[in-house]
Amino acid sequence: MSTQTSDGMNYAPRGKAAPVVRPGEFVFAAMYLDHGHIYGQCNGLIEAGGTLAKVYDPQPERVARFVQTYPQAVAVSDPREILEDPAIRLVAAAAVPSERGPLGCQVMRHGKDYFTDKCPFTTLDQLAEARRAVAETGRKYAVYFSERLHVESAVVAGDLVEAGRIGRVVQVLGLGPHRHGASGSRPAWFYERAKYGGILTDIGSHQLEQFLYFTGNTSARVQAAKVANYRFPQFPEFDDFGDVTVIGGNGATGYHRVDWLNPDGLSTWGDGRLFLLGTEGYIEVRKYVDVAQEKVGDTLILVDKAGEHRMACAGTAGFPFFGRLIRDCLDRSETAMTQAHAFLAAELCLTAQVQAVRVAG
Amino acid sequence: MSTQTSDGMNYAPRGKAAPVVRPGEFVFAAMYLDHGHIYGQCNGLIEAGGTLAKVYDPQPERVARFVQTYPQAVAVSDPREILEDPAIRLVAAAAVPSERGPLGCQVMRHGKDYFTDKCPFTTLDQLAEARRAVAETGRKYAVYFSERLHVESAVVAGDLVEAGRIGRVVQVLGLGPHRHGASGSRPAWFYERAKYGGILTDIGSHQLEQFLYFTGNTSARVQAAKVANYRFPQFPEFDDFGDVTVIGGNGATGYHRVDWLNPDGLSTWGDGRLFLLGTEGYIEVRKYVDVAQEKVGDTLILVDKAGEHRMACAGTAGFPFFGRLIRDCLDRSETAMTQAHAFLAAELCLTAQVQAVRVAG
């Protein structure tokens, strides 16, 4: 599995190995491989020193492909062989979105931490249940918000903000365009509202997490949201466009736009951008491509009092989230991401989806 | 007066001369030089063949500077020498924003067309009065929406959209950051709400016009808006941030953000951007600078089915608005911009300002 850029569903970044534990010290398993993000999740944990022990999925062909990539993973035929294995500390999963919440509660109630692909939930009820399960079990419900956690230029942006390079961040603007891909390339659940939850719930979840992270907000409200289906009338439950604007408790605001309208001529799966507007400067991140300029992404532009600065971030910052997550699981700390932050990001995107005005397509 | 890029207030583009009339065939005057945009307005009209005959402003030093740039303009000491001169067909003006509406009605009631700097109004009442005056007099109330009309890359974007290069435009996203400039460089009215009208009314007006133009909408509503003052607490009536999201009658939507937070290190007065999202591709316009790449602006990026295309637009398209406006005044046509369009753009920005949530600074 190498880093692929034609299709976001199979975008599984690889970084430098930076183990935080010895082999065998942090054992995890993978379950439910519905979304290709599971490869990115596993890559991140393995590079941070995690030991991938087992894999379960009801579809044998998916398991066969998985163990080809990760021969160390023992394929098991019953999920209980993972859930009831005391050696396994964490379960990484990328189930159909509507199953992620219930699966996570099941995992936590088996005494394990959970690391799900985004979106973490498709309904506010699932979120409420997960909050209860976390409170009851003391386990972690961690989320793979890959569009920040697995993008080095976004990691660098976080470091620059933390260092005060653009002053106070007053607005985050995120663009998350995605390639739909060839007709027939997506599974049926991709178009079923009850299963994927709507575009703001799904790919919008990355965005709201970034808003909270870069502005340092611990509370926020949705001011307005909308969704539309402009190009896929054959899938009436599908949204191919969504946007949301939010107001944070600390006075910083956000605007986030997502879509499935990416043109075929783009050299990557999506021209993802992030703009951080600060009182002393601004940052633009061109995550996956510097469009019509460089066929590589991870370009960060910083404009401050001194000038305009361009930084090539690939290979610089790595992906510190995964090692921190492993340490947090072992140390019961919250250095990677607090549970409250992950759940609030989820709450905002679910609320945005519920409140969204449906615009005529 | 050459094109300046340090300060938007004195940004007065020059283009290729493309006269649509013979000398003396279209005579105009300039009145009220409060905003430096009057130079851009006059440049555009003169390049299109207009004959600048007279100038009036109550401040002699402003008149002196003006006639240095335009020696052909006769300075008059009483506005009636312009208003009552039957040879003058159009009055170009850049008064204090709150005076623009009343001045325009006065000009039209003297039988002349009016060409004001944006923002065209500061209150909805002024707009209503101008609509009445247009209906009564049959004169034109034209607006210098310079951030589209006087930017060649934006002109090219319009041509590409019209040619169907990105399919149906479903979203317009505009960023209009502006440099405040050195402390003390702005006139007092710049900070007085009753005079400048608020940030969405003022620099937001460019944005709403672009939304209507690029989506081809003739109706729209404000979904949400907000304003804030993050960096200028010494000017409590000032907004240094504003945004608005709109829903067009044809189902296309817009998001527009403006601010006065431009960092000193930027090589121009504002990193203005325009993103047009279409069903078959998208366009990004980097109006005044290709930040951290090229010190020139007017870069247009088109991504379509075939690939990623970068176009340097400076010196290509010219500024057809001005010649069309002159022809419209002579022919009583509406090829440059319809009156309904200009007034709807004004209505949207005024409504956004009224509806805006004030975020804690």
Side-chain angles (χ1 to χ4, degrees), chain A residues 339-357:
Chain A
Q339 190 63 70
H341 175 94
F343 281 166
L344 179 58
E347 184 176 329
L348 287 171
C349 72
L350 292 163
T351 303
Q353 186 76 39
V354 170
Q355 294 186 1
V357 169

Side-chain angles (χ1 to χ4, degrees), chain A residues 192-262:
Chain A
E192 295 170 34
R193 182 161 305 272
K195 291 191 175 160
Y196 85 99
I199 192 169
L200 293 172
T201 293
D202 181 13
I203 55 179
S205 63
H206 294 289
Q207 297 288 329
L208 279 309
E209 193 281 328
Q210 289 174 71
F211 165 71
L212 293 174
Y213 173 74
F214 288 111
T215 61
N217 265 301
T218 53
S219 68
R221 69 180 179 86
V222 173
Q223 188 193 22
K226 45 189 156 332
V227 295
N229 181 350
Y230 292 114
R231 222 188 146 186
F232 298 89
Q234 68 273 38
F235 300 115
E237 296 186 12
F238 188 61
D239 307 325
D240 63 13
F241 177 90
D243 73 359
V244 52
T245 179
V246 287
I247 300 176
N250 69 12
T253 70
Y255 173 76
H256 303 276
R257 187 187 90 179
V258 289
D259 71 74
W260 290 102
L261 299 172
N262 217 21

Side-chain angles (χ1 to χ4, degrees), chain A residues 226 245 273 284 293, chain B residues 226 245 273 284 293 310:
Chain A
K226 45 189 156 332
T245 179
R273 306 274 188 108
E284 176 183 355
Q293 187 70 38
Chain B
K226 44 191 159 326
T245 179
R273 305 276 188 108
E284 177 181 355
Q293 186 70 38
R310 172 179 284 261

Side-chain angles (χ1 to χ4, degrees), chain A residues 282 303 308, chain B residues 3-8 11 177-179 262-272 287-291 294-297:
Chain A
Y282 66 92
V303 183
E308 303 171 5
Chain B
T3 300
Q4 288 198 13
T5 56
S6 66
D7 177 349
Y11 183 68
H178 284 64
R179 173 166 290 150
N262 218 20
D264 288 346
L266 190 74
S267 58
T268 185
W269 59 270
D271 184 2
K287 292 185 177 180
Y288 314 112
V289 62
D290 190 354
V291 59
E294 305 282 353
K295 296 289 179 209
V296 298

Side-chain angles (χ1 to χ4, degrees), chain A residues 95-117:
Chain A
V96 168
S98 57
E99 300 304 315
R100 291 172 187 172
L103 175 63
C105 292
Q106 190 185 19
V107 167
M108 292 189 293
R109 288 182 172 129
H110 280 83
K112 301 181 192 319
D113 294 317
Y114 180 58
F115 179 39
T116 180
D117 185 25

Side-chain angles (χ1 to χ4, degrees), chain A residues 69-349:
Chain A
T69 305
Y70 305 111
Q72 69 270 45
V74 174
V76 299
S77 56
D78 186 321
R80 286 174 298 185
E81 293 180 64
I82 290 173
L83 293 172
E84 297 173 4
D85 180 346
I88 291 171
R89 290 182 173 268
L90 175 143
V91 170
V96 168
S98 57
E99 300 304 315
R100 291 172 187 172
L103 175 63
C105 292
Q106 190 185 19
V107 167
M108 292 189 293
R109 288 182 172 129
H110 280 83
K112 301 181 192 319
D113 294 317
Y114 180 58
F115 179 39
T116 180
D117 185 25
K118 71 75 231 167
C119 54
F121 309 101
T122 53
T123 70
L124 286 160
D125 283 348
Q126 292 170 1
L127 168 59
E129 179 60 19
R131 281 182 161 139
R132 278 191 292 273
V134 164
E136 282 165 30
T137 65
R139 296 298 96 186
K140 293 182 185 294
Y141 193 111
V143 185
Y144 180 60
F145 289 116
S146 54
E147 294 184 19
R148 179 174 69 83
L149 305 174
H150 232 161
V151 175
E152 285 185 283
S153 45
V155 174
V156 173
D159 293 344
L160 292 170
V161 166
E162 200 174 344
R165 286 295 295 274
I166 60 168
R168 172 184 171 199
V169 175
V170 296
Q171 208 238 16
V172 176
L173 191 153
L175 303 181
H178 284 63
R179 173 165 289 151
H180 175 273
S183 178
S185 64
R186 296 279 179 177
W189 60 257
F190 186 79
Y191 305 102
E192 295 170 34
R193 182 161 305 272
K195 291 191 175 160
Y196 85 99
I199 192 169
L200 293 172
T201 293
D202 181 13
I203 55 179
S205 63
H206 294 289
Q207 297 288 329
L208 279 309
E209 193 281 328
Q210 289 174 71
F211 165 71
L212 293 174
Y213 173 74
F214 288 111
T215 61
N217 265 301
T218 53
S219 68
R221 69 180 179 86
V222 173
Q223 188 193 22
K226 45 189 156 332
V227 295
N229 181 350
Y230 292 114
R231 222 188 146 186
F232 298 89
Q234 68 273 38
F235 300 115
E237 296 186 12
F238 188 61
D239 307 325
D240 63 13
F241 177 90
D243 73 359
V244 52
T245 179
V246 287
I247 300 176
N250 69 12
T253 70
Y255 173 76
H256 303 276
R257 187 187 90 179
V258 289
D259 71 74
W260 290 102
L261 299 172
N262 217 21
D264 289 346
L266 190 74
S267 59
T268 185
W269 60 268
D271 184 2
R273 306 274 188 108
L274 171 69
F275 295 85
L276 305 176
L277 178 64
T279 51
E280 306 296 331
Y282 66 92
I283 287 170
E284 176 183 355
V285 175
R286 299 178 184 165
K287 291 185 178 181
Y288 315 113
V289 62
D290 190 354
V291 61
Q293 187 70 38
E294 305 283 352
K295 296 290 179 207
V296 298
D298 269 329
T299 296
L300 185 145
I301 291 163
L302 165 68
V303 183
D304 59 12
K305 191 174 287 190
E308 303 171 5
H309 318 280
R310 172 180 284 259
M311 304 179 193
C313 299
T316 61
F319 306 113
F321 171 81
F322 301 93
R324 290 178 192 157
L325 176 61
I326 288 176
R327 289 300 343 160
D328 286 347
C329 291
L330 294 172
D331 306 339
R332 309 318 293 168
S333 53
E334 288 201 310
T335 62
M337 183 185 296
T338 68
Q339 190 63 70
H341 175 94
F343 281 166
L344 179 58
E347 184 176 329
L348 287 171
C349 72

Side-chain angles (χ1 to χ4, degrees), chain B residues 111-126:
Chain B
K112 301 183 192 319
D113 295 316
Y114 180 58
F115 179 38
T116 180
D117 184 25
K118 72 74 228 167
C119 55
F121 309 101
T122 53
T123 70
L124 285 161
D125 283 348
Q126 292 170 359

